[in-house]
Amino acid sequence: MPESSQSVTVVALLADPDAPTEIARRMARTLPARLADKSGPGRRFEVEVVSEPFTSGTEDPPTLMRRIMDRGRAEDWDIVVALTDLPLHAHGRKLVVNLSHEHGLVLLSLPSLGGLRLQKRARLAVEEAVLGLTGPRAAGAQAPPREPPLPAPFNGRLTPVHPSPVDEDETADLRYVVSGPRGYLRILGGMVRANRPWRLVPGLSKALAAALATGAVATVNSTVWSLAEALSTPRLMIATVGSVVIMIGWLIVDANLWHRPAASTREAKQKARLYNASTVLTVGLGVLVCYVGLLVINLVWALFILNDQVFASMTRSPLDATDYWTLSWFVASTATVGGALGSGLESDEAIRAAAYSKREQERRQLLQDDGEDRPAK
């Protein structure tokens, strides 16, 4: 069939900056061909990626849908798919996707897809949404049926996704949400994935410098040798847990990462619990990565610096592989506590930048500014 006789559908991927934009750009490489293959002959797709902070200042899905609709009207787009890494809520439920068949709009909250295989799940969700908006049902009806089938990425016996009612005055005419314990864990994993906890390691340069210095000094200290020799495995595990908890608590308190609900409503408290859980997990995973790194570095340092005769003369026991491991383990816990103290040298902005995604940083800054501007009672 000649290209001129094919129907061309222009799909815009309107993505928040940072991670959503990266996902959209990778998706756009294969999306036109995949959509054309699934839609059958006679249709061709063009995909544009627009990086724009369309969620700036609001988390309200109806408001976001209106923004997306206004943005689409200003361009020559047939379908607008908006991607954000903010968790969105609708009527107290955690939103997965909003669709408007009438206006050709899709609003997708990436954290609702979970923390694993995010790129693939996002691509499948966008494909199903676009094909649903361009299919026969969308072309011949103003609204979808009351109980539509779940799209392929959300369909499964263990997938906690289901349709949710939409108000008549909303732009969307179809909505999917997650609920239940599995849904909570799913979106929590997605939020942690969006924050990318591994970025916490290079973001805590001063804390890591303090930890490395503490570890280097402790490794050559004979008192530390004796303590490590005397500690049992359960005590070493307790030291590990204690040092990691101290580091997590210090970072959260010192950088003011704990989220307080803006209102006393049940929904606001649920959101606060979700945000705080994601903060603890994000910081916790970052600290664990730091701890493992310190353990490896201390082990290498011990293998290089320790002397068998000096160690035996101080501890009255020969130096063996178990002693290297035990000493490095204990020193890693000690160094982590030193790193917690060193993290006080980091600016709050640097810690937030390391712990949160760009959208989450802006969201928290906006809430903080609103709290400062609100008059005291």
Side-chain angles (χ1 to χ4, degrees):
M1 179 181 295
E3 183 176 307
S4 59
S5 63
Q6 289 183 318
S7 174
V8 180
T9 301
V10 180
V11 179
L13 300 180
L14 181 64
D16 266 334
D18 205 16
T21 297
E22 296 175 8
I23 291 173
R25 285 173 178 165
R26 287 196 294 266
M27 187 188 306
R29 297 169 188 167
T30 59
L31 190 59
R34 293 179 62 90
L35 290 173
D37 291 341
K38 292 186 176 183
S39 62
R43 184 179 291 275
R44 187 166 59 90
F45 291 85
E46 293 182 359
V47 177
E48 301 179 14
V49 177
V50 180
S51 180
E52 190 173 291
F54 69 93
T55 59
S56 179
T58 183
E59 299 176 64
D60 180 49
T63 302
L64 294 177
M65 290 294 286
R66 289 192 294 270
R67 284 186 180 181
I68 299 166
M69 182 174 63
D70 293 340
R71 185 69 176 86
R73 286 175 175 173
E75 303 287 346
D76 189 21
W77 299 331
D78 298 304
I79 295 176
V80 183
V81 180
L83 307 175
T84 179
D85 56 0
L86 280 181
L88 302 177
H89 297 75
H91 302 293
R93 298 184 177 184
K94 302 167 187 66
L95 178 69
V96 179
V97 61
N98 260 1
L99 298 100
S100 172
H101 291 74
E102 180 182 357
H103 303 287
L105 308 176
V106 180
L107 171 61
L108 178 63
S109 177
L110 294 174
S112 65
L113 301 179
L116 301 176
R117 299 180 299 161
L118 179 59
Q119 183 69 43
K120 181 179 179 181
R121 288 180 175 179
R123 189 198 71 214
L124 291 175
V126 171
E127 287 177 7
E128 292 294 329
V130 172
L131 292 173
L133 295 182
T134 58
R137 188 190 73 189
Q142 290 295 325
R146 292 186 178 181
E147 296 183 0
L150 286 171
F154 310 135
N155 194 7
R157 187 166 55 89
L158 299 179
T159 304
V161 182
H162 54 84
S164 178
V166 182
D167 294 339
E168 293 182 358
D169 58 345
E170 291 191 41
T171 306
D173 50 40
L174 180 59
R175 171 177 295 149
Y176 290 101
V177 297
V178 292
S179 61
R182 288 199 305 271
Y184 181 86
L185 293 176
R186 181 187 178 103
I187 196 169
L188 184 60
M191 293 174 67
V192 174
R193 170 65 174 77
N195 288 336
R196 293 185 284 189
W198 54 87
R199 298 189 308 179
L200 193 65
V201 178
L204 296 176
S205 57
K206 294 184 177 65
L208 288 176
L212 290 172
T214 303
V217 173
T219 302
V220 297
N221 189 299
S222 59
T223 303
V224 176
W225 299 349
S226 300
L227 286 173
E229 281 281 308
L231 289 176
S232 61
T233 299
R235 286 179 177 270
L236 286 170
M237 294 180 66
I238 292 173
T240 298
V241 173
S243 62
V244 169
V245 169
I246 289 174
M247 183 70 159
I248 294 172
W250 186 280
L251 287 173
I252 291 176
V253 173
D254 186 58
N256 195 24
L257 303 182
W258 198 253
H259 177 78
R260 294 175 177 80
S264 58
T265 62
R266 180 182 178 184
E267 183 176 350
K269 292 179 180 179
Q270 288 178 345
K271 286 184 180 181
R273 285 194 292 267
L274 185 63
Y275 287 128
N276 289 330
S278 71
T279 296
V280 172
L281 286 177
T282 299
V283 176
L285 289 174
V287 171
L288 284 176
V289 172
C290 293
Y291 186 93
V292 173
L294 289 172
L295 179 60
V296 173
I297 292 173
N298 289 327
L299 180 59
V300 173
W301 174 242
L303 290 170
F304 175 76
I305 202 68
L306 291 185
N307 180 275
D308 296 355
Q309 295 180 350
V310 175
F311 186 89
S313 66
M314 299 300 299
T315 62
R316 295 185 174 85
S317 64
L319 181 63
D320 56 21
T322 303
D323 293 320
Y324 279 113
W325 169 253
T326 303
L327 177 62
S328 301
W329 190 357
F330 177 60
V331 169
S333 300
T334 305
T336 300
V337 176
L341 299 177
S343 66
L345 301 175
E346 304 279 2
S347 66
D348 293 352
E349 292 76 13
I351 296 177
R352 293 193 190 101
Y356 294 130
S357 67
K358 186 176 181 64
R359 294 292 95 201
E360 180 67 2
Q361 294 176 52
E362 294 179 356
R363 188 195 69 80
R364 288 176 178 262
Q365 185 60 48
L366 181 64
L367 290 176
Q368 180 179 345
D369 293 342
D370 289 344
E372 292 175 354
D373 295 340
R374 190 178 295 114
K377 294 184 179 179

